[in-house]
Amino acid sequence: MQKNYIVNEQITVRAAIEKMMKERIKAVIVVDEANIVSGLFSNGDMRNFFLGGGSLSANICEAMNRNPRLFYSEDEVYEERQTCFRVIYPIIDSAKRVIKVLDFENINQNGKVNDSLVGVPLVIMAGGKGTRLYPYTKILPKPLIPIGDVTITERIIQSFQRYGCREVIMILKHKANMIKAYMAELEKDYKIEFAEEEEFLGTAGGLKLIRDKINTSFFLSNCDILTDADLECIYKTHIMKKNKITFVCAMKDMTIPYGVVETREDGTITQIKEKPGFSFLVNTGLYVLEPDVIDEVENGEVIDLPDLAKRYLERGEKVGVFPISEKEWMDMGQFNEMEKMIKNIGL
């Protein structure tokens, strides 16, 4: 089992994240060629690395914790857990080689993660026409587009159910009656409510319609994205940081398919980079908001969430970012992305 948690120190950050995604674990142990532990790389290390401007193509040694807590026996692990909980517990021998890994939160062992989001509402913005998915959306509204044999909306809700979320609100406009009729016929163990826009109000304008339904921090999701990120950690980080809004952003690698020329002002070339790569944090369309953010929206105001966030930034109030890997985010806003989503889910 411990092999599932071990990676070589020659790999990239991207490869380490892919390993964690494949094994559905929250950390990997980094070893050298002699299998001696040189560090540990967790989801928390990934976020700190991305926030510091790190790249997916960087070597894992640049992002890992070089001084992780290691253990020499299970007794030592259980003693540690009396006062401190860790992502994983590597047990090593006298040569610092891993002999066992204890993981008390391995979600391979339990399809349901926990109940950490009980009482936390999920709001799905589902009013758009989905014009980028024509001709599908001429017949079906985007929230009812099937990903396999399950609609995208159901898949979004299922990802939150695994954390105990049972309160869903959908803000509708385009083909609203069709969506409500479909959702009403489902057998479900969660509560769902609807609010309907008279006019398209953007990704934040419709929040005003649900002011009387929200009295706690809540998730806001576009209706065309899926995430396999740690929703509990996202929510707790938002609360701990005391953000007004937290953007969930994915680290995305982009390669310029040309040679890039850098010059001086006089036109002489200083450097030529062949097909350089860049890493960016991109908005996934998933957020955590404080309930009083809704009060920032005027009745009938047309506004998108990023523009609403700018108001807080201009006042110096806290708007945060929770970085995730690009593998933890899928967007079906366009045909090619929808095909990738279906493939990644394994359908």
Side-chain angles (χ1 to χ4, degrees):
M1 178 181 174
Q2 64 264 23
K3 291 182 180 180
N4 298 344
Y5 291 83
I6 294 175
V7 298
N8 187 274
E9 64 182 11
Q10 300 302 317
I11 69 169
T12 64
V13 171
R14 179 195 293 276
I17 293 171
E18 288 176 350
K19 171 83 168 181
M20 292 159 64
M21 291 289 294
K22 177 183 177 182
E23 303 294 345
R24 300 189 69 80
I25 56 180
K26 294 183 178 181
V28 287
I29 303 159
V30 183
V31 301
D32 64 15
E33 294 300 324
N35 289 319
I36 296 172
V37 175
S38 53
L40 186 142
F41 179 72
S42 68
N43 283 335
D45 297 319
M46 176 192 73
R47 291 191 292 274
N48 291 334
F49 185 63
F50 288 165
L51 288 173
S55 168
L56 285 164
S57 58
N59 181 270
I60 190 62
C61 293
E62 296 181 35
M64 70 183 184
N65 174 7
R66 294 180 176 273
N67 295 292
R69 178 74 166 93
L70 304 172
F71 302 86
Y72 291 95
S73 69
E74 290 191 31
D75 288 342
E76 193 176 342
V77 169
Y78 287 108
E79 182 178 350
E80 174 88 355
R81 281 175 58 80
Q82 298 298 315
T83 57
C84 180
F85 292 94
R86 300 184 181 277
V87 178
I88 60 173
Y89 299 81
I91 299 176
I92 59 172
D93 60 19
S94 57
K96 285 190 69 175
R97 293 187 175 92
V98 178
I99 56 176
K100 191 171 185 178
V101 179
L102 295 184
D103 183 350
F104 297 94
E105 297 186 13
N106 188 336
I107 61 177
N108 275 329
Q109 300 172 9
N110 187 348
K112 181 179 177 181
V113 178
N114 53 47
D115 289 324
S116 58
L117 297 185
V118 169
V120 178
L122 165 64
V123 178
I124 302 176
M125 305 299 296
K129 291 184 177 180
T131 53
R132 292 181 298 170
L133 290 175
Y134 275 1
Y136 289 166
T137 47
K138 280 194 172 184
I139 302 169
L140 285 175
K142 186 163 60 173
L144 298 188
I145 293 291
I147 304 299
D149 59 355
V150 179
T151 66
I152 181 66
T153 298
E154 291 171 88
R155 290 194 181 276
I156 292 171
I157 294 171
Q158 287 169 1
S159 68
F160 280 82
Q161 279 187 286
R162 291 174 57 239
Y163 291 84
C165 176
R166 295 290 184 273
E167 300 176 25
V168 180
I169 303 172
M170 296 185 72
I171 300 178
L172 310 175
K173 174 66 174 77
H174 182 61
K175 297 184 184 292
N177 289 337
M178 185 183 295
I179 296 169
K180 287 191 282 188
Y182 178 86
M183 299 303 293
E185 292 181 1
L186 292 177
E187 292 186 10
K188 47 189 176 291
D189 59 351
Y190 55 88
K191 175 185 175 184
I192 187 164
E193 298 182 76
F194 304 96
E196 190 170 345
E197 299 173 339
E198 293 183 6
E199 302 293 339
F200 291 109
L201 299 175
T203 55
L207 291 174
K208 198 68 174 182
L209 302 174
I210 62 171
R211 185 63 189 96
D212 62 341
K213 303 178 187 296
I214 299 288
N215 56 19
T216 186
S217 306
F218 65 99
F219 278 90
L220 176 68
S221 176
N222 289 352
C223 68
D224 55 5
I225 64 108
L226 292 175
T227 180
D228 196 30
D230 188 335
L231 298 175
E232 176 187 5
C233 191
I234 293 170
Y235 183 77
K236 287 183 175 179
T237 300
H238 170 83
I239 300 298
M240 179 186 67
K241 297 287 188 180
K242 298 182 179 180
N243 294 334
K244 285 293 184 179
I245 303 172
T246 296
F247 282 62
V248 179
C249 293
M251 179 59 72
K252 194 82 172 175
D253 258 359
M254 307 290 285
T255 300
I256 305 298
Y258 310 103
V260 174
V261 176
E262 297 180 1
T263 67
R264 298 188 182 93
E265 291 184 4
D266 63 4
T268 57
I269 293 176
T270 60
Q271 190 174 14
I272 301 174
K273 296 180 179 178
E274 190 63 33
K275 297 180 180 179
F278 301 91
S279 293
F280 302 93
L281 282 171
V282 299
N283 186 7
T284 65
L286 178 64
Y287 317 87
V288 189
L289 285 75
E290 287 303 292
D292 59 1
V293 171
I294 299 175
D295 298 325
E296 193 74 27
V297 181
E298 300 294 332
N299 288 324
E301 181 179 11
V302 180
I303 186 170
D304 289 325
L305 203 288
D307 293 320
L308 185 62
K310 287 178 184 177
R311 294 181 182 175
Y312 285 101
L313 291 172
E314 289 167 357
R315 297 200 296 258
E317 297 191 62
K318 293 192 68 175
V319 176
V321 168
F322 187 98
I324 63 175
S325 77
E326 62 179 333
K327 294 289 185 179
E328 294 176 295
W329 170 55
M330 293 176 282
D331 182 352
M332 73 160 202
Q334 300 184 50
F335 280 115
N336 62 329
E337 296 298 329
M338 185 170 69
E339 291 169 357
K340 287 181 185 177
M341 181 182 286
I342 293 171
K343 181 180 178 181
N344 288 341
I345 292 175
L347 302 174

